[in-house]
Amino acid sequence: MKKTILAMSMLGLSALLPAQAADYVIDTEKAHAFVDFRIQHLGYSWMSGRFNDFAGTFSYDADDPEASAIDVTIDVASVDTNFAERDKHLREQFLETAEYPDARFTSTSFEQQEDGTLLMKGDFTLHGVSKPMTIPVQKVGEGDDPWGGYRVGFYGETSFIIEDYDIDVSKLGPSSQEVFLILSIEGIRQ
């Protein structure tokens, strides 16, 4: 009887404790996460691409989304615009991947919005330059997967000015100064 009362007391106390954020690994191994981009080409059309290699982790608690955190590192040399010569040109002439092999985003805060979205704020480092970046994100969904795991996914879009990261864009033309990033992140709970 005493054990039952003690167990019920412990269960009751645990219900009063705040829920903790779960830790997730971004599922890049099975290609369930993407970092895509687009930029105007000379003002005549859009060029799209992606970064094939990146990794990261995040923590998330649906009951307290403002306590979330994320850290993502992108292998900039994995840039892929579906044209090998252009990719080589981007690596060597613009991104200078031999000197600056990685880009990184580390969150500093999350703000819950009235419409249910989050404003993810953090520092984005590219080409050796770090700048604050804000990314509006929305949760796509969460739940059990067919393999016995638990997943949560998010989608966000933002943009930045290339020149702010000390990348010479004089040959790109005035319409090609802004890069639009599209992030589709799915994480597996650890």
Side-chain angles (χ1 to χ4, degrees):
M1 180 73 165
K2 287 182 181 180
K3 288 182 181 179
T4 304
I5 292 173
L6 180 61
M8 290 176 65
S9 297
M10 295 300 286
L11 184 62
L13 284 175
S14 68
L16 297 175
L17 297 173
Q20 292 191 357
D23 294 325
Y24 293 82
V25 170
I26 296 172
D27 186 8
T28 56
E29 184 179 319
K30 304 279 191 203
H32 291 121
F34 305 91
V35 176
D36 300 324
F37 65 88
R38 64 185 169 93
I39 184 170
Q40 283 197 16
H41 180 249
L42 303 173
Y44 305 134
S45 64
W46 287 98
M47 181 191 73
S48 296
R50 65 184 189 178
F51 293 98
N52 292 325
D53 298 326
F54 62 97
T57 59
F58 64 91
S59 62
Y60 174 72
D61 177 2
D63 294 330
D64 187 12
E66 291 189 343
S68 299
I70 189 167
D71 187 29
V72 178
T73 301
I74 300 167
D75 176 358
V76 183
S78 73
V79 65
D80 182 353
T81 63
N82 199 31
F83 187 63
E85 288 180 43
R86 177 176 43 230
D87 296 343
K88 182 180 181 209
H89 182 68
L90 289 172
R91 285 184 200 103
E92 294 174 1
Q93 300 298 316
F94 292 100
L95 298 172
E96 299 178 272
T97 59
E99 188 173 351
Y100 308 106
D102 297 324
R104 184 172 186 182
F105 180 84
T106 303
S107 66
T108 55
S109 68
F110 283 78
E111 295 176 12
Q112 182 77 52
Q113 304 300 295
E114 288 182 19
D115 64 359
T117 61
L118 292 167
L119 279 185
M120 178 172 66
K121 296 183 178 183
D123 296 317
F124 181 58
T125 302
L126 174 66
H127 202 250
V129 177
S130 293
K131 297 272 186 186
M133 179 178 277
T134 299
I135 307 172
V137 296
Q138 63 184 47
K139 183 169 78 172
V140 177
E142 70 177 299
D144 296 326
D145 66 26
W147 308 281
Y150 191 87
R151 295 172 181 258
V152 63
F154 297 90
Y155 177 84
E157 292 187 33
T158 193
S159 67
F160 64 90
I161 303 300
I162 302 171
E163 210 168 36
D164 289 347
Y165 292 88
D166 293 340
I167 297 173
D168 180 14
V169 293
S170 59
K171 296 177 185 175
L172 294 178
S175 298
S176 304
Q177 304 298 309
E178 187 173 14
V179 174
F180 295 86
L181 287 176
I182 303 99
L183 312 167
S184 298
I185 302 300
E186 183 176 307
I188 305 169
R189 187 166 62 190
Q190 301 301 288

